[in-house]
Amino acid sequence: MKINSKTKLCMLIGDPIHHSLSPQMHNSGYEALGIDDQYVFVSIQVKPTDIEDFLKGFKAMQNFHSFTCTVPHKVIVMPYLDAVDPVAQEIGAVNVILKEGSKLKGYNTDWLGFTCPLEKRGIPLKGKKVALLGAGGVARSIAYATSAGGGELTVYNRTPEKAQALAIEFGGEFGSLDDLTGIAGADIIVNATSVGMHDKKTLLPKEYLSRDHIIFDVNYPRTHLYQDADAVGAQVIDGREMLLYIGIGIFKYFTGYEGPEAAMRKGLGI
Ligand code: ATR
């Protein structure tokens, strides 16, 4: 154990939090770089109603260095921050909060979970047709990334008004989950809904999938959608891979170092 009185505490806050793989991923990275005496990463459950108290404590405790947040804090924390970086502002959510002097500033690395796996595979987003299922918080960062990267966005959502609003905001088209025939012509399909996380359901009938598709699912462990995608020979990118690149972005903000990919992958078990 290398933790000492100068060790900086980095945190993930969320509610619930028990399923998170972030502590293993970040601590593996700190260990690989030999900075595990300087940084330690823990996850902490914080109820949405306690966010203001949490932030007061975070500011007061000097060793509390930085934190990342997940559902349901990414938007509700924003009014309490002193500054928000322009990318996070455009996405409308933060997932990294740093102490800068006595001020708190928010950033967003969620969109890297979509763009980096594509870059790593040498797939440019420019001109790609992206079919995005979902219009919640996770979907927003993917809509932003698609628009910023020059992709062609179509949003499908259970509540059509939300699909329409997201599409208008990020310059895309929208459609209904009841008619997914357009999906066949997409290059990249993203399940950014929670469907499949707790059950074996999938929004995408297998007959719409083909080996030409790249399929993302923000959920982990692997959902039923992956079985269907594998069966047709599509390229699949799973929720843990997205978490990895979101995490590498967080690592840089927290420590100033490039996140060591191999060690962080190992921490995630991928
Ligand atoms: P997150 O921040 O994780 O994206 P969220 O903001 O609650 O969470 O969004 C969840 C997404 O999953 C939404 O797009 C939601 O659709 P609605 O906007 O219609 O609520 C979608 N979703 C959740 N359960 C669903 C279901 N059973 N069928 C279809 N879509 C579902």
Side-chain angles (χ1 to χ4, degrees), residues 122-262:
I123 303 166
L125 199 44
K126 195 163 176 53
K128 293 281 182 306
K129 293 191 176 71
V130 177
L132 174 61
L133 276 68
V138 178
R140 286 191 66 82
S141 63
I142 294 165
Y144 164 81
T146 302
S147 163
E152 293 175 26
L153 177 70
T154 307
V155 186
Y156 301 86
N157 195 50
R158 176 177 61 184
T159 311
E161 298 78 27
K162 283 169 70 183
Q164 183 176 10
L166 191 61
I168 289 170
E169 196 175 338
F170 290 100
E173 306 282 318
F174 63 96
S176 160
L177 284 181
D178 297 331
D179 178 13
L180 290 173
T181 44
I183 289 267
D187 301 300
I188 301 168
I189 302 172
V190 188
N191 177 32
T193 74
S194 49
V195 176
M197 188 148 106
H198 307 293
D199 49 41
K200 292 201 162 165
K201 290 195 183 117
T202 170
L203 294 173
L204 282 160
K206 194 172 160 188
E207 56 268 28
Y208 292 144
L209 308 179
S210 81
R211 64 189 305 277
D212 298 328
H213 285 134
I214 299 163
I215 297 178
F216 277 81
D217 194 325
V218 304
N219 300 298
Y220 60 87
R222 287 192 159 211
T223 61
H224 191 72
L225 173 60
Y226 283 108
Q227 285 175 30
D228 290 345
D230 279 340
V232 300
Q235 201 172 155
V236 294
I237 296 170
D238 77 15
R240 285 179 308 174
E241 177 110 3
M242 298 182 81
L243 195 62
L244 170 71
Y245 290 104
I246 294 169
I248 289 175
I250 295 170
F251 197 99
K252 176 91 178 180
Y253 274 119
F254 281 14
T255 68
Y257 294 105
E258 295 299 331
E261 184 172 328

Side-chain angles (χ1 to χ4, degrees), residues 58-59 62 64-67 81-86 96-107 252-254:
F58 176 72
K59 271 187 163 175
Q62 297 302 311
F64 279 24
H65 178 258
S66 43
F67 71 92
L81 304 179
D82 300 297
V84 174
D85 141 279
V96 168
I97 290 93
L98 301 183
K99 278 182 187 165
E100 297 185 355
S102 60
K103 309 254 189 262
L104 297 183
K105 183 163 178 184
Y107 298 87
K252 176 91 178 180
Y253 274 119
F254 281 14

